[in-house]
Amino acid sequence: MESIEVKIPPLDRRTEEAFKTLRTNLQFCGKDVKSIALTSCTPNEGKSSVSLQLARSLSENGKRVLFIDADLRKSVILSRCQVGQTVKGFSHYLSGQCAFTEAVYMTNVRNLHMIFAGPVPPNPAELLGSNAFKIVIEKMKTVYDYIIIDTPPLGSVIDAAVIANECDGSILVVKSGEISRRFARKIVDQLRMADCPVLGAILNSVDMKKNSYGNYYGKYYGKYYGQEVDKYLEG
């Protein structure tokens, strides 16, 4: 396993508190919820940033975390982390071009390891639905406390549902003021059809000048669990 310098963007105080609240709520989902897929309805809802910052927050709380960039079609994580070197990625491993340990990188965040997406393959959904993916998720759950998986938007491609089928839970990231409840309900239904519990929804990019959610919510806002997800989507 190689060590590289991964520069995760810093957060302001209010946003940092929001992620601490999110982290705490996630831990109340139970010790059996270890592999978690994050998706969105459409691109540019902040899904990748939320996934990465959640992984960082869990790591800073002493949890061993593996972050997997499984957006094999259009990843932004490598550029966001300002990695200035060539790396092996998840597509390399799933297609048999490298060993799993060659695709895992230590970071400058204690307890946080990462797998980048790698080059865009011609068959992303097939690779993600392979036995190699299923086996590695099961094995890594014996090594890490949490596996946070950034997936493509489910409203655009089916990849997130394929990934969620092998996960203990899923989270939907929704950009405030951009997505209709009807569209969000459709995505939640797809996740449930993948036989993956929907742990909650994260309302992202809330305009704090127009909305007041208290001192614990900055750019990212909250998480709803169980029936609260349905209330949000139906409301």
Side-chain angles (χ1 to χ4, degrees), residues 18 26 33 38 48 67 101 122 131 157 170 172 182 201 205:
L26 183 60
V33 178
L38 281 84
S48 296
F67 177 87
T101 52
N131 283 333
V157 291
S170 59
L172 179 64
R182 178 177 296 180
S205 298

Side-chain angles (χ1 to χ4, degrees), residues 33-62:
V33 178
K34 304 187 71 172
S35 55
I36 303 164
L38 281 84
T39 190
S40 59
C41 299
T42 63
N44 303 316
E45 292 190 69
K47 162 189 61 63
S48 296
S49 295
V50 170
S51 301
L52 184 59
Q53 294 292 352
L54 175 58
R56 181 187 63 84
S57 184
L58 287 165
S59 299
E60 290 178 346
N61 197 41

Side-chain angles (χ1 to χ4, degrees), residues 1-196:
M1 184 183 300
E2 187 177 347
S3 178
I4 59 175
E5 183 72 11
V6 176
K7 299 178 181 179
I8 300 176
L11 300 175
D12 60 54
R13 181 187 62 82
R14 300 176 80 183
T15 307
E16 185 76 39
E17 289 299 320
F19 274 102
K20 288 180 180 178
T21 301
L22 177 60
R23 176 183 75 197
T24 300
N25 289 341
L26 183 60
Q27 291 171 340
F28 274 106
C29 287
K31 63 180 181 180
D32 293 331
V33 178
K34 304 187 71 172
S35 55
I36 303 164
L38 281 84
T39 190
S40 59
C41 299
T42 63
N44 303 316
E45 292 190 69
K47 162 189 61 63
S48 296
S49 295
V50 170
S51 301
L52 184 59
Q53 294 292 352
L54 175 58
R56 181 187 63 84
S57 184
L58 287 165
S59 299
E60 290 178 346
N61 197 41
K63 303 298 182 181
R64 287 179 54 82
V65 181
L66 176 64
F67 177 87
I68 300 179
D69 180 3
D71 190 345
L72 302 186
R73 298 174 189 265
K74 194 177 180 181
S75 172
V76 298
I77 293 295
L78 196 65
S79 59
R80 295 270 175 88
C81 292
Q82 303 177 39
V83 178
Q85 65 188 79
T86 302
V87 297
K88 296 288 185 181
F90 205 36
S91 60
H92 285 118
Y93 164 70
L94 293 177
S95 60
Q97 298 182 56
C98 75
F100 181 74
T101 52
E102 294 181 87
V104 182
Y105 293 87
M106 293 186 291
T107 74
N108 56 321
V109 179
R110 186 179 181 184
N111 300 316
L112 177 60
H113 295 166
M114 295 185 67
I115 302 178
F116 296 99
V120 179
N123 55 342
E126 287 78 6
L127 289 180
L128 294 167
S130 66
N131 283 333
F133 178 80
K134 179 178 181 178
I135 291 170
V136 77
I137 295 300
E138 287 302 312
K139 285 186 176 180
M140 290 304 102
K141 287 199 300 186
T142 66
V143 177
Y144 295 93
D145 297 308
Y146 288 99
I147 303 170
I148 303 299
I149 307 175
D150 181 29
T151 76
L154 189 48
S156 302
V157 291
I158 197 62
D159 300 16
V162 175
I163 294 168
N165 185 248
E166 303 299 337
C167 292
D168 301 322
S170 59
I171 296 174
L172 179 64
V173 178
V174 182
K175 188 173 184 179
S176 177
E178 297 288 331
I179 304 299
S180 69
R181 287 187 175 89
R182 178 177 296 180
F183 193 6
R185 283 199 298 268
K186 179 181 178 182
I187 299 304
V188 168
D189 288 341
Q190 286 185 276
L191 288 170
R192 288 172 174 159
M193 287 176 63
D195 197 27
C196 181

